[in-house]
Structure formats: C-alpha cells, structure tokens
C-alpha cells in the first residue's frame, strides 16, 4: 500500500493498487454486461479490507483497481484526474495531455507485465501456429488441396480431421503424452502420489493393457483413481450427426467406450476407472471436468490460491497444449500436390 498527500488540508490518502480479472467466475456475468464491473467489485473488497485501519490512522482509503484488459475503476480515474491537473500546472501543459501520459505509462506497464506472465508460463502461441489454429477453429480450409505428407494416398480434408487423428508420424502419441504429463505434474503439485502408465502385468492373466495413464493414490475415500486420457474428434463419421446437435456427444461416447474397455480390469485391481476425454476442439467430458474440479480444490489448499484461478490455469495449460499438438499435426502433413 502506498500513499501521498491529497488536497489542501494535507489529508494523507492510502492508495492501494490492485489488478483484477473480469474473467473470474465471481465477476464474469456482471463484467460481460457492465463495463468496469470487475474493477468496481475489487474496489468494494479493498474498502472492506482496509477502511477500518485507514480510519484509525486518519487516512483516506482509495483503492486503485484496474482490470487485466486495462479498464480502470472509478476511484482510480478520479485520482488520475486530480493528479493530471497538478502535473499539468507543474509542467505547464494541458490537463488532457498529462492525463494521456499517465494512462499511457500505466497501461503499457500493465500490458508488459501481463505479457511477461503469459510468456513465462509458456501460455502463448507463435504467429504461424496461431494463424493455423485460427483457420482451423473458424472452419476454414487448412488443407488447400494438399495430400497427407505421411499418407501419400490420402487427401487432407478441409476441417483437419485426418491430420488430427492420423496415427502415423507420432503426433497422436505426442499429444496424448503432453496432456498426461501436465496432469501428472499438477497432481504432484497438489501433493498427490502419482504413477504414469500403470496397470501392465498386474492381473492374474498378465494383461499388458495399461488402463491408467495417470494413477492417483487416495483419490476418493482412500481409493486409487486410474485416469485414462483420450482425445476424440467430433468429426468421426460414427458420431458426427449427434455431435452436431449435442455438445460433448463425442466425449460422452468415448467415456462409455473407455468404461467398457477398462472397468473390469480396474475393478480387479481395486481402482476407480476415470476416463478423461477431450474433443479435438477443446471440449472436455463430464468426468474430466468433475475430476479437474476436485484436483483444483486440492491444489488451491496446498498453494493458498483461489480454486477458480487454479482451475483456470489447469484448463489453460491443457487446452493450449492440445491446440499446439493439433496444429503441429496439421502443419506437418501439409504437402501441396504441385510440390512433386
């Protein structure tokens, strides 16, 4: 908390600067309909937390709240207006120019710090990757009449279905392992005991199947959870019509198939079978979302962070790496016919 003297009566003002996100679950609905709602909510929280102490010290409590996209709260705007008047008189410039300078310097520093935070966590896409991802998300042609570089007898479809499901080249395995490793690392941060690719040769028949991509001990009521990660495409011919009508239909169908395949072996081992299914466009299945919510609750306790922030970060890391892997598969298979 920093402060400076305001007005002619030398009344100290305690300025408490805070950055808030309009995307948090608590403010998302209001922020989507009312500009500055997240900043206003942050101002109210700061007043609740600091008003009594500031009164004891004879200070005016003034929270300066800014949303991550650069929208400043009303109290901050009032302070900046008074500061610009004083700065304009001191530098013999207009108040509007001084106010423009204040906002420019503050918002540029905000943008740099947010960008640094995103880049530091690897939560960004390089320009070529982003451009391809954008075309894919918008349903634009990602093939442009190309054949698959790894399947010479196969033409690439415009929506990228073949590229994101092709078993050749190792892209499917790379994508699966990346999601698996992120989940395992998140579980370890939540102080959970984790094994990767477990289940081989543990049953009397010495089955080589591994129903647990990530095996988590003491998940629910002391039981071990066998998490089976799977990526499915809603463009598969056997589910496309249903997926076009019902959101998450492809993920739900894959969950059922995973239960049919793994429930018996997991039951023999005393494990809970939990299929974590995500559609190629990023929609997670019901069981995955419930599991991530539970995991976020545990990690929020161990990291002393809000559950909403932990859950948002988990989805961000998983889905960003899903996009990267899908775009990698699309770009690596692009092979125009005129290149021969």
């Amino acid at each position: 908390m920093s402060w400076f003297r305001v007005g002619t009566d030398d009344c100290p003002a305690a300025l408490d600067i805070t950055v808030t996100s309009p995307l948090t679950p608590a403010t998302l609905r209001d922020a989507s309909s009312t500009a500055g709602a997240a900043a206003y909510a942050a101002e109210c929280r700061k007043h609740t937390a600091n008003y009594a102490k500031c009164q004891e010290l004879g200070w005016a409590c003034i929270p300066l709240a800014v949303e991550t996209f650069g929208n400043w709260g009303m109290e901050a705007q009032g302070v900046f207006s008074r500061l610009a008047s004083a700065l304009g008189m001191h530098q013999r410039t207009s108040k509007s120019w001084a106010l423009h300078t204040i906002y420019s310097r503050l918002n540029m520093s905000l943008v740099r710090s947010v960008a640094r935070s995103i880049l530091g966590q690897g939560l960004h896409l390089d320009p070529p990757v982003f451009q391809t991802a954008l075309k894919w998300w918008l349903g634009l042609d990602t093939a442009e009449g190309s054949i698959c570089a790894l399947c010479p007898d196969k033409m690439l479809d415009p929506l990228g279905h073949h590229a994101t499901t092709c078993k050749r080249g190792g892209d499917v395995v790379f994508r699966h392992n990346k999601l698996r490793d992120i989940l395992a690392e998140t579980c370890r941060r939540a102080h959970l005991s984790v094994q990767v690719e477990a289940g081989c040769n543990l049953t009397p028949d010495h089955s080589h199947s591994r129903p647990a991509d990530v095996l988590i001990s003491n998940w629910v009521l002391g039981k071990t959870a066998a998490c089976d990660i799977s990526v499915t495409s809603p463009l598969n011919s056997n589910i496309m019509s249903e997926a076009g009508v019902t959101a998450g239909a492809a993920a739900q169908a894959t969950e059922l198939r995973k239960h049919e395949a793994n429930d018996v072996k997991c039951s023999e081992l005393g494990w809970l079978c939990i299929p974590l299914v995500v559609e190629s466009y990023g929609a997670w299945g019901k069981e995955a979302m419930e599991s991530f919510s539970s995991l976020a609750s545990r990690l929020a306790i161990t990291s002393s962070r809000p559950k909403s922030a932990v859950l948002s970060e988990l989805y961000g890391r998983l889905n960003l790496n899903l996009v990267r892997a899908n775009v990698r598969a699309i770009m690596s298979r692009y092979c125009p016919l005129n290149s021969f």
Side-chain angles (χ1 to χ4, degrees):
M1 186 183 294
S2 58
W3 66 274
F4 66 90
R5 299 183 183 277
V6 178
T8 58
D9 55 355
D10 274 355
C11 174
L15 304 182
D16 190 1
I17 302 173
T18 182
V19 181
T20 186
S21 172
L23 301 180
T24 58
T27 58
L28 181 58
R29 179 175 297 180
D30 291 337
S32 63
S33 58
T34 306
Y40 175 74
E43 289 175 344
C44 292
R45 289 195 301 271
K46 288 297 182 179
H47 274 299
T48 301
N50 301 326
Y51 182 77
K53 186 171 183 178
C54 288
Q55 283 290 95
E56 294 176 5
L57 298 171
W59 295 351
C61 177
I62 305 179
L64 305 183
V66 60
E67 298 178 0
T68 48
F69 293 104
N71 193 12
W72 289 86
M74 293 300 296
E75 296 195 54
Q77 294 178 39
V79 169
F80 296 158
S81 179
R82 296 187 64 178
L83 184 58
S85 297
L87 185 62
M89 293 178 61
H90 177 71
Q91 296 183 345
R92 296 183 179 181
T93 60
S94 65
K95 175 183 175 181
S96 60
W97 177 255
L99 191 61
H100 172 75
T101 302
I102 292 171
Y103 277 116
S104 296
R105 295 186 63 185
L106 287 171
N107 284 356
M108 182 57 69
S109 296
L110 175 66
V111 169
R112 284 174 177 163
S113 64
V114 172
R116 192 180 303 117
S117 174
I118 294 173
L119 293 172
Q121 298 179 53
L123 300 178
H124 68 285
L125 296 174
D126 294 328
V129 175
F130 176 75
Q131 292 169 8
T132 303
L134 195 60
K135 290 176 65 177
W136 180 54
W137 285 330
L138 294 175
L140 302 179
D141 188 0
T142 59
E144 299 177 355
S146 167
I147 62 171
C148 177
L150 302 178
C151 308
D153 59 339
K154 186 75 174 182
M155 292 291 295
L156 291 178
D157 58 285
L159 297 180
H161 171 64
H162 172 75
T164 57
T165 57
C166 179
K167 297 293 195 303
R168 296 186 179 181
D171 288 302
V172 170
V173 176
F174 172 83
R175 178 179 61 193
H176 170 274
N177 291 349
K178 192 67 177 177
L179 297 179
R180 178 202 63 194
D181 293 344
I182 291 173
L183 178 62
E185 185 262 338
T186 304
C187 290
R188 293 188 182 102
R189 286 168 50 205
H191 299 172
L192 292 166
S193 177
V194 173
Q195 295 181 50
V196 174
E197 300 293 348
C200 181
N201 287 328
L202 294 181
T203 52
D205 60 353
H206 300 289
S207 170
H208 291 284
S209 65
R210 295 190 297 269
D213 293 320
V214 179
L215 189 69
I216 309 173
S217 301
N218 297 318
W219 179 248
V220 176
L221 300 177
K223 288 191 174 183
T224 298
C227 299
D228 188 3
I229 298 172
S230 180
V231 182
T232 188
S233 173
L235 299 180
N236 282 320
S237 57
N238 60 345
I239 197 66
M240 185 188 299
S241 58
E242 187 176 349
V245 177
T246 306
Q252 184 179 8
T254 304
E255 286 177 343
L256 293 175
R257 288 199 302 272
K258 288 293 183 179
H259 275 298
E260 291 174 359
N262 297 328
D263 275 352
V264 174
K265 183 169 184 177
C266 287
S267 179
E268 292 177 5
L269 296 170
W271 297 348
L272 296 173
C273 177
I274 304 180
L276 305 180
V277 183
V278 60
E279 297 182 0
S280 53
Y281 288 99
W284 288 88
K286 181 181 178 181
E287 294 190 60
M289 291 189 289
E290 291 173 350
S291 299
F292 295 159
S293 178
S294 179
L295 178 58
S297 297
R298 295 171 185 242
L299 185 54
I301 295 173
T302 59
S303 62
S304 300
R305 297 172 57 202
K307 176 184 175 180
S308 59
V310 173
L311 190 59
S312 175
E313 178 183 308
L314 176 58
Y315 276 117
R317 292 184 64 197
L318 287 169
N319 282 11
L320 186 67
N321 281 279
L322 174 67
V323 170
R324 281 181 180 153
N326 286 334
V327 172
R328 164 182 157 153
I330 292 172
M331 296 177 70
S332 66
R333 282 162 177 75
Y334 180 71
C335 185
L337 290 173
N338 58 14
S339 62
F340 290 94

